[in-house]
Amino acid sequence: MSLMDLYGATALVIDGNPTSRSILVSQLREMGARTVAQSPRITDARRQLEFRTFDVVVCEQHFPNDTGTGQALLDDLRRAGLLPFATVFIMVTAEAAYSKVAEAAESALDSYLLKPFTASQLAQRIGQARHRKTVLKDIFEAVEGGRYERAAELCLRRFQQRDDYWLYAARVGAELLLRLERYDEAQRLYEAVVEAKAMPWAKLGVARAQLEAGQSQKASQTLQGLINGEPGYADAYDVMGRAQIELGNFDAALAAYRMATDLTPSSISRLQRHGMLAHYCGQGALAEELLARSVRLGLDSKMFDAQSLVLLGFMRFEAGDRKGLQRYLDDALRMVERHPKSLRLRRLAQVLEIALLLHDAQVARVLSEVRAMMATITEADFDFEAACNLTTLLAYLAQRAIQIDEVEERLTVLGRRFCTSKALTALLAQAANAHPPYAERLSTLHNEVLGIVEHAMRQSLAGNPRAAVLELIEQGRATCNAKIIESAWGVLKRYESRIDDAAALADVIQPLRERYQSYANKSVIGDKAARQAGGVSLRVMDVKTVEG
């Protein structure tokens, strides 16, 4: 089969205009496509693309009778990792200025066509896209096989030699370096691309590398420069929001997320992220508006995050709306039915069940359920999201003067584990706003954690880094705190030449890093795809599980 021949291929045409859709379907069939599915609406197309794989997708950019755009669909699919590498995605538009949008979306978009165009032009664009995929096949075979170091090496070689598609290879290579935690190398590669050809995605990549390396202020400055030059680049606002959260500037983060949402009003993931942060910033009305819209747009979508149902359920609980709370619980239970093995979904549904029981004043059952949840605080799969939800439930109990003898002790255990940064502490405290004394207690625990780290660091500065590592290991085990565990790792790596048993200590720390995900301890609100905003859509496993 030649690159311009679609014999036996499957295709999807997304276009709200029946005449245009019919013409595209005929053109693809004439090229040999075996099956050509059609979708007149964005929501229908999203559903098809989430549950079916197509060789070619041809999508209109504008949908006058729909709330979304082809770009918004592409953006959501890319960030959710739902577009396989093999799928060719062609955008069709009558807008000559679309090249700017195409540049920003290059990580998933293979090409775009300006109307009017001929069948031969469409075939040529599809052929060019398939040719790129063929040329870069070795890179993506390495990615799909979990050989990320090898894939990054191939990308760097193609970039350095300026072989065909060197710019795209550089983007893939930098993305892999980020995921391999080689942040300095990723930043240098992005900077080299900027120097060779000032692409917005490369400038965004520099900021992403800075952010992952813990340089939030530098990332914010880089992003501001990018936004000044590219004010319509939605991914830049996603990353700016993350940077501002990590700096503890929640109002600025909200402003960034609002810009991203305004630019892509039908993006399910952006609506959720914006709504979740609004909730934790105490802007209940805005949060409910955004999260309810995400439910209407995508409750059945793979991009939908069930945490939205929990927060909406909390809002209905506070309003005394039992019917509304029951509705969100029912939605969560349906998600559990579709994914019965998901521990996270079961836990989220349990949170809503406890809220409903509390609304109905079934105190004995509430106490039993809450105690069971408190018993899991130090388990590996009990994450920051679970901590926030449990904290909210405990605050509701205290607000209603329902006593649990061990609550102060368990809240302290929770805080010592999850108060790892100023930003995360502020979010956790906000989750307890129904009972201010709990919020105040959590805030003080961050200072306690800082005190532990500072005490150990003084031993390191006094010339005894081994003692510092041992102290941090002991405290990390006791608190399960990711900052303390990662501090132990950082001191060990810095002074390993002066620590005789460094290898043995590394073998002690590494399981703690894996168990409590200390290396990934970042302030992410909403879907985890926010961490890859602006990145290439790579369907990869966790790099921690491969490469030996």
Side-chain angles (χ1 to χ4, degrees), residues 113-129:
L113 270 171
L114 293 177
K115 294 179 178 178
F117 57 85
T118 65
S120 63
Q121 288 174 319
L122 175 61
Q124 183 182 37
R125 292 300 175 90
I126 293 173
Q128 289 170 343

Side-chain angles (χ1 to χ4, degrees), residues 286-398:
L286 175 61
E288 187 157 18
E289 175 194 339
L290 293 165
L291 295 176
R293 199 193 316 167
S294 76
V295 171
R296 291 193 298 272
L297 278 174
L299 180 59
D300 295 326
S301 169
K302 289 182 179 179
M303 301 170 206
F304 185 79
D305 189 333
Q307 175 68 5
S308 294
L309 298 175
V310 171
L311 298 186
L312 285 165
F314 285 160
M315 295 171 204
R316 293 297 85 214
F317 173 85
E318 291 172 5
D321 178 7
R322 188 189 191 284
K323 184 177 180 181
L325 176 54
Q326 181 71 62
R327 181 174 70 252
Y328 291 125
L329 171 58
D330 291 342
D331 288 338
L333 290 173
R334 279 191 288 272
M335 293 183 74
V336 172
E337 287 176 5
R338 294 199 301 270
H339 307 281
K341 295 182 180 180
S342 172
L343 173 63
R344 176 177 180 257
L345 287 178
R346 292 202 303 273
R347 179 185 283 138
L348 294 177
Q350 182 187 14
V351 169
L352 287 167
E353 286 174 337
I354 293 171
L356 188 62
L357 291 169
L358 184 56
H359 177 279
D360 293 345
Q362 298 191 40
V363 176
R365 289 186 62 189
V366 168
L367 293 177
S368 175
E369 295 284 345
V370 169
R371 283 193 167 104
M373 191 173 288
M374 288 194 299
T376 67
I377 288 172
T378 58
E379 292 182 3
D381 53 20
F382 189 93
D383 58 12
F384 183 75
E385 174 186 80
C388 286
N389 290 339
L390 175 56
T391 298
T392 299
L393 290 174
L394 294 176
Y396 286 158
L397 288 171

Side-chain angles (χ1 to χ4, degrees), residues 100-407:
K100 296 288 288 183
V101 182
E103 184 180 84
E106 185 184 321
S107 55
L109 182 63
D110 291 299
S111 190
Y112 69 97
L113 270 171
L114 293 177
K115 294 179 178 178
F117 57 85
T118 65
S120 63
Q121 288 174 319
L122 175 61
Q124 183 182 37
R125 292 300 175 90
I126 293 173
Q128 289 170 343
R130 298 183 71 193
H131 179 252
R132 183 176 75 174
K133 293 177 186 294
T134 300
V135 169
L136 301 179
K137 185 178 179 182
D138 57 344
I139 292 172
F140 282 90
E141 283 183 345
V143 170
E144 290 167 1
R147 302 186 302 278
Y148 307 126
E149 297 280 1
R150 173 61 176 164
E153 177 188 330
L154 290 169
C155 289
L156 290 170
R157 184 186 306 164
R158 183 168 290 275
F159 170 72
Q160 290 159 358
Q161 296 175 355
R162 296 299 195 269
D163 289 339
D164 289 348
Y165 306 113
W166 61 270
L167 200 59
Y168 187 86
R171 188 169 195 180
V172 174
E175 184 71 28
L176 287 165
L177 291 172
L178 279 179
R179 299 190 184 202
L180 289 164
E181 298 181 42
R182 291 160 58 180
Y183 304 133
D184 289 345
E185 293 174 73
Q187 183 174 337
R188 286 196 295 272
L189 182 53
Y190 280 125
E191 287 171 343
V193 172
V194 171
E195 187 175 345
K197 191 173 182 181
M199 306 293 286
W201 59 259
K203 295 176 184 177
L204 182 59
V206 171
R208 293 176 64 216
Q210 291 169 334
L211 191 54
E212 293 297 341
Q215 300 170 4
S216 303
Q217 191 62 52
K218 280 188 177 180
S220 176
Q221 293 167 356
T222 302
L223 288 162
Q224 192 57 59
L226 172 57
I227 287 169
N228 289 342
E230 301 285 342
Y233 194 179
D235 279 349
Y237 295 103
D238 289 333
V239 183
M240 178 64 95
R242 274 192 57 212
Q244 295 300 334
I245 289 172
E246 294 194 11
L247 288 168
N249 301 330
F250 295 110
D251 287 344
L254 267 177
Y257 284 161
R258 182 176 63 250
M259 285 300 301
T261 304
D262 288 347
L263 287 165
T264 57
S266 297
S267 170
I268 296 167
S269 54
R270 286 191 172 117
L271 285 169
Q272 291 180 115
R273 193 179 315 116
H274 187 187
M276 288 179 189
L277 182 58
H279 168 81
Y280 287 115
C281 288
Q283 297 189 22
L286 175 61
E288 187 157 18
E289 175 194 339
L290 293 165
L291 295 176
R293 199 193 316 167
S294 76
V295 171
R296 291 193 298 272
L297 278 174
L299 180 59
D300 295 326
S301 169
K302 289 182 179 179
M303 301 170 206
F304 185 79
D305 189 333
Q307 175 68 5
S308 294
L309 298 175
V310 171
L311 298 186
L312 285 165
F314 285 160
M315 295 171 204
R316 293 297 85 214
F317 173 85
E318 291 172 5
D321 178 7
R322 188 189 191 284
K323 184 177 180 181
L325 176 54
Q326 181 71 62
R327 181 174 70 252
Y328 291 125
L329 171 58
D330 291 342
D331 288 338
L333 290 173
R334 279 191 288 272
M335 293 183 74
V336 172
E337 287 176 5
R338 294 199 301 270
H339 307 281
K341 295 182 180 180
S342 172
L343 173 63
R344 176 177 180 257
L345 287 178
R346 292 202 303 273
R347 179 185 283 138
L348 294 177
Q350 182 187 14
V351 169
L352 287 167
E353 286 174 337
I354 293 171
L356 188 62
L357 291 169
L358 184 56
H359 177 279
D360 293 345
Q362 298 191 40
V363 176
R365 289 186 62 189
V366 168
L367 293 177
S368 175
E369 295 284 345
V370 169
R371 283 193 167 104
M373 191 173 288
M374 288 194 299
T376 67
I377 288 172
T378 58
E379 292 182 3
D381 53 20
F382 189 93
D383 58 12
F384 183 75
E385 174 186 80
C388 286
N389 290 339
L390 175 56
T391 298
T392 299
L393 290 174
L394 294 176
Y396 286 158
L397 288 171
Q399 187 183 54
R400 285 156 179 72
I402 298 173
Q403 299 294 321
I404 302 181
D405 294 338
E406 67 272 28
V407 68

Side-chain angles (χ1 to χ4, degrees), residues 23 34 39 75 122 252 273 282 311 390 392 396 415 485 526 543 545:
I23 291 170
R34 179 183 77 251
S39 181
D75 189 49
L122 175 61
R273 193 179 315 116
L311 298 186
L390 175 56
T392 299
Y396 286 158
I485 293 166
V543 295
T545 65

